[in-house]
Amino acid sequence: MKIRPLRGEPVGLDLVDTTWVQHGEVLDQFDSPEGVEAWLADHGLPGGAAAREHLAEARAAMRDALEGRGHERLNAVLAHGSVRPQVGAAGPYQVVVVEERARQAAWVAAADLVRVMGERPDRVKHCANPRCILWFLDVSKNGSRRWCSMESCGNRAKVGRFNERHRGA
Protein backbone atom coordinates (compact mmCIF):
# COMPACT_ATOMS: atom_id res chain seq x y z
CA MET A 1 0.00 0.00 0.00
CA LYS A 2 1.15 3.56 -0.73
CA ILE A 3 2.13 5.70 2.23
CA ARG A 4 0.79 9.24 2.08
CA PRO A 5 3.14 12.02 3.14
CA LEU A 6 0.51 14.04 5.05
CA ARG A 7 -1.99 12.52 7.43
CA GLY A 8 -4.02 13.71 10.38
CA GLU A 9 -5.77 16.63 8.73
CA PRO A 10 -9.52 17.14 9.25
CA VAL A 11 -11.43 14.51 7.26
CA GLY A 12 -12.27 16.90 4.39
CA LEU A 13 -8.68 17.96 3.81
CA ASP A 14 -7.52 14.40 4.40
CA LEU A 15 -9.71 13.27 1.49
CA VAL A 16 -8.22 15.99 -0.73
CA ASP A 17 -4.75 14.75 0.24
CA THR A 18 -5.36 11.18 -0.94
CA THR A 19 -3.56 12.21 -4.12
CA TRP A 20 0.02 13.44 -3.81
CA VAL A 21 3.19 13.84 -5.85
CA GLN A 22 6.15 11.55 -5.25
CA HIS A 23 9.25 11.68 -7.45
CA GLY A 24 7.32 13.72 -10.00
CA GLU A 25 4.47 11.19 -10.26
CA VAL A 26 0.92 11.77 -9.00
CA LEU A 27 -0.12 8.88 -6.73
CA ASP A 28 -3.66 8.06 -5.67
CA GLN A 29 -4.48 6.13 -2.51
CA PHE A 30 -7.74 5.04 -4.13
CA ASP A 31 -6.06 3.18 -7.00
CA SER A 32 -6.71 -0.01 -5.06
CA PRO A 33 -9.71 -1.27 -3.07
CA GLU A 34 -7.35 -1.70 -0.09
CA GLY A 35 -6.49 2.00 -0.23
CA VAL A 36 -10.16 2.96 -0.16
CA GLU A 37 -10.84 0.56 2.73
CA ALA A 38 -7.84 1.89 4.68
CA TRP A 39 -8.96 5.51 4.29
CA LEU A 40 -12.51 4.68 5.34
CA ALA A 41 -11.24 2.71 8.35
CA ASP A 42 -8.94 5.59 9.37
CA HIS A 43 -12.00 7.82 9.65
CA GLY A 44 -14.54 5.29 10.89
CA LEU A 45 -16.68 5.79 7.80
CA PRO A 46 -18.85 3.25 5.98
CA GLY A 47 -19.00 2.49 2.30
CA GLY A 48 -16.47 -0.15 1.34
CA ALA A 49 -15.07 -0.32 -2.17
CA ALA A 50 -18.43 0.95 -3.53
CA ALA A 51 -17.59 4.35 -2.03
CA ARG A 52 -14.52 4.84 -4.27
CA GLU A 53 -16.36 6.54 -7.15
CA HIS A 54 -18.14 8.95 -4.80
CA LEU A 55 -14.94 9.71 -2.85
CA ALA A 56 -13.07 10.50 -6.08
CA GLU A 57 -15.95 12.72 -7.23
CA ALA A 58 -15.99 14.58 -3.90
CA ARG A 59 -12.21 14.92 -3.89
CA ALA A 60 -12.22 16.52 -7.36
CA ALA A 61 -15.06 18.86 -6.35
CA MET A 62 -13.25 19.84 -3.17
CA ARG A 63 -10.03 20.56 -5.09
CA ASP A 64 -12.02 22.74 -7.51
CA ALA A 65 -13.40 24.76 -4.60
CA LEU A 66 -10.02 25.06 -2.85
CA GLU A 67 -8.22 26.05 -6.04
CA GLY A 68 -10.80 28.69 -6.97
CA ARG A 69 -12.40 26.86 -9.90
CA GLY A 70 -15.90 27.21 -8.51
CA HIS A 71 -18.09 25.54 -5.94
CA GLU A 72 -20.79 24.04 -8.15
CA ARG A 73 -19.36 20.51 -8.08
CA LEU A 74 -18.96 20.64 -4.30
CA ASN A 75 -22.56 21.77 -3.90
CA ALA A 76 -23.61 18.87 -6.15
CA VAL A 77 -21.85 16.42 -3.80
CA LEU A 78 -23.47 18.06 -0.77
CA ALA A 79 -26.92 17.84 -2.41
CA HIS A 80 -26.86 14.05 -1.91
CA GLY A 81 -27.18 14.29 1.87
CA SER A 82 -28.02 16.31 4.93
CA VAL A 83 -27.78 16.31 8.70
CA ARG A 84 -30.88 15.53 10.74
CA PRO A 85 -30.93 16.72 14.37
CA GLN A 86 -32.19 14.13 16.84
CA VAL A 87 -32.70 13.90 20.60
CA GLY A 88 -31.98 10.80 22.64
CA ALA A 89 -31.62 9.80 26.28
CA ALA A 90 -28.05 11.15 26.30
CA GLY A 91 -29.13 14.44 24.74
CA PRO A 92 -29.10 15.97 21.26
CA TYR A 93 -27.12 14.45 18.41
CA GLN A 94 -27.04 14.54 14.62
CA VAL A 95 -27.56 11.84 12.01
CA VAL A 96 -26.13 12.05 8.49
CA VAL A 97 -28.82 11.17 5.96
CA VAL A 98 -27.65 10.31 2.43
CA GLU A 99 -29.38 9.00 -0.68
CA GLU A 100 -27.29 5.83 -0.66
CA ARG A 101 -24.84 4.40 1.85
CA ALA A 102 -21.93 4.45 -0.63
CA ARG A 103 -22.16 8.27 -0.68
CA GLN A 104 -21.93 8.78 3.09
CA ALA A 105 -18.14 9.03 3.42
CA ALA A 106 -17.87 11.46 0.51
CA TRP A 107 -20.68 13.59 1.90
CA VAL A 108 -19.17 13.65 5.40
CA ALA A 109 -15.79 14.73 4.01
CA ALA A 110 -17.33 17.43 1.80
CA ALA A 111 -19.42 18.77 4.67
CA ASP A 112 -16.35 18.79 6.91
CA LEU A 113 -14.38 20.80 4.36
CA VAL A 114 -17.19 23.37 4.21
CA ARG A 115 -17.19 23.53 8.02
CA VAL A 116 -13.41 24.08 8.18
CA MET A 117 -13.53 26.67 5.39
CA GLY A 118 -16.30 28.49 7.26
CA GLU A 119 -14.58 28.43 10.63
CA ARG A 120 -10.98 29.13 9.60
CA PRO A 121 -10.81 30.15 5.91
CA ASP A 122 -7.47 31.90 6.37
CA ARG A 123 -5.96 28.75 7.88
CA VAL A 124 -6.82 26.37 5.00
CA LYS A 125 -3.62 26.47 2.97
CA HIS A 126 -1.93 24.93 -0.01
CA CYS A 127 1.68 23.81 0.46
CA ALA A 128 4.11 26.54 -0.64
CA ASN A 129 6.09 24.03 -2.72
CA PRO A 130 4.83 24.68 -6.28
CA ARG A 131 5.25 20.99 -7.15
CA CYS A 132 3.23 19.81 -4.13
CA ILE A 133 -0.54 19.35 -4.39
CA LEU A 134 -1.31 18.89 -0.68
CA TRP A 135 -3.57 21.08 1.47
CA PHE A 136 -3.51 21.49 5.23
CA LEU A 137 -5.14 23.29 8.12
CA ASP A 138 -2.61 25.66 9.65
CA VAL A 139 -2.98 25.21 13.39
CA SER A 140 0.25 27.02 14.24
CA LYS A 141 -0.08 29.70 16.90
CA ASN A 142 0.62 32.62 14.56
CA GLY A 143 -0.78 31.11 11.33
CA SER A 144 2.55 31.15 9.52
CA ARG A 145 2.86 27.51 8.46
CA ARG A 146 3.88 27.30 4.79
CA TRP A 147 4.64 23.65 4.09
CA CYS A 148 2.59 20.48 4.18
CA SER A 149 5.54 18.97 6.01
CA MET A 150 8.77 20.55 7.16
CA GLU A 151 10.49 17.16 6.72
CA SER A 152 9.70 16.96 3.02
CA CYS A 153 8.65 20.17 1.23
CA GLY A 154 10.05 22.58 3.81
CA ASN A 155 13.41 20.82 3.92
CA ARG A 156 13.59 20.75 0.10
CA ALA A 157 13.01 24.51 0.02
CA LYS A 158 15.76 25.10 2.62
CA VAL A 159 18.21 22.91 0.70
CA GLY A 160 17.30 24.70 -2.53
CA ARG A 161 17.93 28.13 -0.98
CA PHE A 162 21.22 26.91 0.52
CA ASN A 163 22.39 25.54 -2.84
CA GLU A 164 21.36 28.76 -4.61
CA ARG A 165 23.35 30.88 -2.16
CA HIS A 166 26.43 28.71 -2.48
CA ARG A 167 26.34 28.41 -6.27
CA GLY A 168 26.85 32.14 -6.64
CA ALA A 169 29.76 32.17 -4.17
Side-chain angles (χ1 to χ4, degrees):
M1 182 172 336
K2 302 169 187 167
I3 305 297
R4 290 189 296 130
L6 181 61
R7 299 174 61 102
E9 294 298 318
V11 68
L13 288 170
D14 198 64
L15 176 59
V16 171
D17 292 341
T18 55
T19 57
W20 66 97
V21 176
Q22 186 172 319
H23 306 298
E25 178 185 356
V26 176
L27 301 178
D28 185 343
Q29 180 172 348
F30 298 158
D31 280 348
S32 72
E34 295 82 20
V36 174
E37 293 287 349
W39 189 86
L40 291 168
D42 283 350
H43 298 287
L45 294 168
R52 189 221 177 272
E53 176 186 341
H54 303 299
L55 288 168
E57 172 190 11
R59 179 177 62 195
M62 294 158 76
R63 277 194 176 278
D64 279 356
L66 288 167
E67 294 171 5
R69 291 190 298 267
H71 56 272
E72 295 80 14
R73 290 175 69 189
L74 182 54
N75 284 339
V77 170
L78 292 166
H80 293 285
S82 63
V83 174
R84 181 176 296 149
Q86 301 282 298
V87 178
Y93 62 98
Q94 297 180 339
V95 175
V96 173
V97 180
V98 290
E99 293 173 355
E100 56 186 286
R101 183 175 166 89
R103 289 188 180 275
Q104 185 169 346
W107 189 91
V108 166
D112 183 66
L113 180 67
V114 170
R115 176 193 63 79
V116 169
M117 289 171 56
E119 291 175 358
R120 310 286 308 267
D122 58 320
R123 294 294 184 107
V124 176
K125 297 182 178 179
H126 184 265
C127 181
N129 177 352
R131 291 182 294 272
C132 185
I133 62 174
L134 298 177
W135 288 82
F136 59 90
L137 180 63
D138 181 355
V139 295
S140 66
K141 188 173 182 177
N142 63 1
S144 63
R145 181 175 165 192
R146 297 181 56 210
W147 315 104
C148 64
S149 162
M150 200 59 212
E151 294 78 30
S152 59
C153 289
N155 191 46
R156 282 188 204 109
K158 285 182 176 182
V159 168
R161 285 192 305 268
F162 175 85
N163 289 337
E164 197 62 37
R165 280 193 309 270
H166 288 81
R167 258 185 281 225

